[in-house]
Amino acid sequence: MSVLQCLNRLAGHSSRATSCLHHAHALTVRNISTTSPLAHLILLSRVRVVDNSSLGAAAAANKPPRVIMVYNKQRIGTVGDKVLLAIMGQKKKALVVGVKQYGKNMTPKFDSNNVILLEDNENPTGTRITVPIPSHLRKRKDLAKVFAIATRFV
């Protein structure tokens, strides 16, 4: 029985109209995805540069930087991971210092996906960081120069 025949029976209050209720319900229910596209850092996720580098300031006025590579096995970026960004027609490495997704217990959740631009020798490009950095990253010795320019910790 087609959907059109079911609608005609429902309109005419036929005795077999109750068998058509399933078809009428299928017309009104839609499957809508409610997952957030920026819940975690994956390929082509938009990010916000939170240091005072000139490249980050220029990107804030133009197209937002996008993640083109996450340097870990799962390819999903979290706080403390290094990523490769496409920013202003260039490829730059960056350190993730804040994500929108929920992390482990007692880790902060940020309003945006925040990154700090890094040079090829892993030094930060900017001289100041404008947002608080999660304090659980202080255990990592390879990020000492990043913590030297940070002013606030969460």
Side-chain angles (χ1 to χ4, degrees):
M1 179 180 302
S2 71
V3 176
L4 185 58
Q5 290 172 342
C6 284
L7 290 177
N8 287 336
R9 285 189 181 172
L10 284 173
H13 302 292
S14 163
S15 62
R16 295 185 60 196
T18 56
S19 66
C20 295
L21 287 177
H22 176 70
H23 288 292
H25 180 68
L27 288 176
T28 59
V29 176
R30 293 183 180 159
N31 293 331
I32 298 172
S33 175
T34 59
T35 58
S36 174
L38 295 176
H40 40 36
L41 291 179
I42 57 173
L43 185 68
L44 297 179
S45 294
R46 291 181 302 245
V47 295
R48 187 176 76 145
V49 178
V50 294
D51 59 6
N52 65 342
S53 61
S54 60
L55 189 60
N62 295 328
K63 289 171 61 173
R66 292 190 178 260
V67 174
I68 56 175
M69 176 77 171
V70 179
Y71 294 114
N72 65 14
K73 192 179 258 186
Q74 292 82 21
R75 299 291 186 239
I76 295 175
T78 58
V79 174
D81 287 338
K82 292 181 181 159
V83 296
L84 185 66
L85 297 180
I87 178 171
M88 299 289 296
Q90 301 176 20
K91 292 192 288 188
K92 294 289 280 186
K93 284 187 178 181
L95 175 72
V96 179
V97 294
V99 292
K100 289 179 75 170
Q101 76 180 29
Y102 289 106
K104 297 177 182 175
N105 289 341
M106 300 302 293
T107 57
K109 178 181 178 283
F110 289 85
D111 291 336
S112 62
N113 295 322
N114 301 329
V115 296
I116 298 170
L117 294 179
L118 299 175
E119 296 175 2
D120 292 333
N121 56 1
E122 307 296 328
N123 290 336
T125 304
T127 58
R128 189 177 312 143
I129 298 173
T130 59
V131 298
I133 294 182
S135 60
H136 67 85
L137 291 178
R138 294 187 105 167
K139 298 173 189 168
R140 293 181 49 180
K141 300 298 180 193
D142 60 333
L143 303 177
K145 292 186 179 180
V146 172
F147 296 127
I149 64 171
T151 57
R152 294 177 288 173
F153 296 95
V154 177

